[in-house]
Amino acid sequence: MASTYPPASRISIVIPVYNEEAILRAAVVDLRERLKPFGWNYEIILAENGSTDKTVEIGHELVKQYSGIDGGDLKLLSLGEPNYGKAMKQGILLATGEIVICEEIDLCDTEFHRRAVDIIETGEADLVIGSKLAKGSEDQRPLIRHVASQAYSGMLKLLLGFRGSDTHGLKAFRRVALIDTVRACLVDKDVFASEFVIRADRARVAIQEIPVRVKEKRPPSINLFKRVPNVLKSVAKLTYAIRIRG
Ligand SMILES: Nc1nc2c(ncn2[C@@H]2O[C@H](COP(=O)(O)OP(=O)(O)OP(=O)(O)O)[C@@H](O)[C@H]2O)c(=O)[nH]1
Ligand SMILES: [Mg+2]
């Protein structure tokens, strides 16, 4: 469904970043260029923590250069140890837009932004998830990561009654409808994204999944297998909190 631009909503795009010196500048410049035709009033929030490379330095330069230009603000958060979920949560809580988009610096999929904002503005859903596992999606990541994502979603279905296909996809949501859900999340790191979607689903928020094409600009910085122990621990904690404590 096409919307008339510019829309009334202000859009916040939250992007967690960690050791991204190789692509940060180009990704932000390119994202801003691709947002231009939308005519949005938006802010990009770079939510960094724990980087040991030049990510923070580059982030500060970008803020100086681009903040407040062409309807787009640029902010940088930079606090503490590497922690994806914590950075995402802090970024969302700082966001001021009516619609919040959760991005990843290696994806920056403006086609998803446009489609998701349309769906939210027309009132079809309050939370839109870009699924790399739904019918019609195209996952160009290595097969092992695709299979790992399928196994992870299967585990969430089994343990937590998750009804969708992917909790780790890009997301967009109406801020007032979901901000309390964000605040209620207990786990951080990788599993924060799953807890957020599962809590929203259990609260019967109107969720729509849309298939996306995932093509990363670079392989992930953290090895898949190194993430497994913490993911299992967090899923166990979440299962106890949701299923047993209620
Ligand atoms: N602030 C912060 N950002 C992180 C951290 N780890 C990863 N990110 C960011 O999160 C985004 C996704 O990270 P990737 O390394 O691509 O991981 P991925 O396996 O593709 O992520 P998923 O498939 O969504 O699980 C990128 O923008 C990273 O910079 C972290 O510890 N802290
Ligand atoms: Mg990635």
Side-chain angles (χ1 to χ4, degrees):
M1 197 177 301
S3 70
T4 1
Y5 294 106
S9 312
R10 178 171 159 81
I11 316 285
S12 297
I13 303 170
V14 180
I15 316 178
V17 285
Y18 169 69
N19 282 351
E20 297 287 8
E21 65 177 10
I23 62 167
L24 181 58
R25 169 171 287 279
V28 169
V29 170
D30 183 54
L31 172 60
R32 287 176 42 86
E33 279 306 306
R34 281 184 292 121
L35 288 171
K36 242 187 222 169
F38 299 169
W40 288 348
N41 172 6
Y42 70 90
E43 62 179 356
I44 296 171
I45 300 175
L46 300 173
E48 185 279 340
N49 50 23
S51 296
T52 49
D53 67 358
K54 291 208 168 81
T55 295
V56 176
E57 209 176 306
I58 296 167
H60 281 302
E61 283 168 19
L62 288 166
V63 169
K64 257 197 218 149
Q65 202 171 345
Y66 290 114
S67 206
I69 295 172
D70 294 334
D73 277 337
L74 184 62
K75 294 174 183 162
L76 172 72
L77 280 180
S78 180
L79 283 174
E81 302 289 301
N83 187 326
Y84 167 88
K86 195 171 172 196
M88 186 59 102
K89 190 173 184 175
Q90 284 176 334
I92 294 170
L93 294 177
L94 191 86
T96 57
E98 278 99 56
I99 296 175
V100 178
I101 297 173
C102 302
E103 252 295 356
E104 301 190 1
I105 201 69
D106 57 321
L107 300 177
C108 290
D109 179 356
T110 48
E111 181 55 21
F112 170 77
H113 301 181
R114 194 187 57 74
R115 289 161 69 200
V117 166
D118 268 355
I119 291 168
I120 295 169
E121 290 200 317
T122 52
E124 287 170 64
D126 282 332
L127 169 60
V128 179
I129 301 171
S131 172
K132 54 190 173 298
L133 303 174
K135 196 162 173 258
S137 61
E138 197 187 320
D139 189 356
Q140 295 188 359
R141 300 174 307 158
L143 183 64
I144 176 76
R145 292 186 56 212
H146 182 75
V147 171
S149 296
Q150 283 175 321
Y152 179 63
S153 283
M155 181 169 73
L156 297 178
K157 276 181 214 265
L158 208 68
L159 294 174
L160 288 152
F162 173 52
R163 299 183 302 161
S165 68
D166 188 9
T167 58
H168 263 238
L170 301 186
K171 294 168 197 72
F173 59 88
R174 211 156 57 76
R175 188 164 59 90
V176 290
L178 279 133
I179 200 71
D180 287 341
T181 306
V182 171
R183 287 202 185 99
C185 289
L186 302 169
V187 299
D188 52 14
K189 298 197 175 154
D190 288 302
V191 182
F192 165 75
S194 307
E195 178 172 13
F196 172 56
V197 174
I198 288 167
R199 283 193 186 274
D201 188 29
R202 292 174 72 87
R204 294 295 184 257
V205 167
I207 302 178
Q208 191 170 318
E209 276 193 347
I210 57 175
V212 288
R213 179 166 157 263
V214 175
K215 186 172 187 295
E216 292 181 330
K217 295 192 173 91
R218 48 105 193 95
S221 46
I222 301 170
N223 179 283
L224 174 65
F225 296 101
K226 282 199 183 136
R227 290 157 69 175
V228 171
N230 176 69
V231 166
L232 293 179
K233 209 168 96 190
S234 296
V235 169
K237 184 174 168 186
L238 198 56
T239 307
Y240 176 77
I242 289 181
R243 287 281 208 211
I244 298 169
R245 244 184 26 211

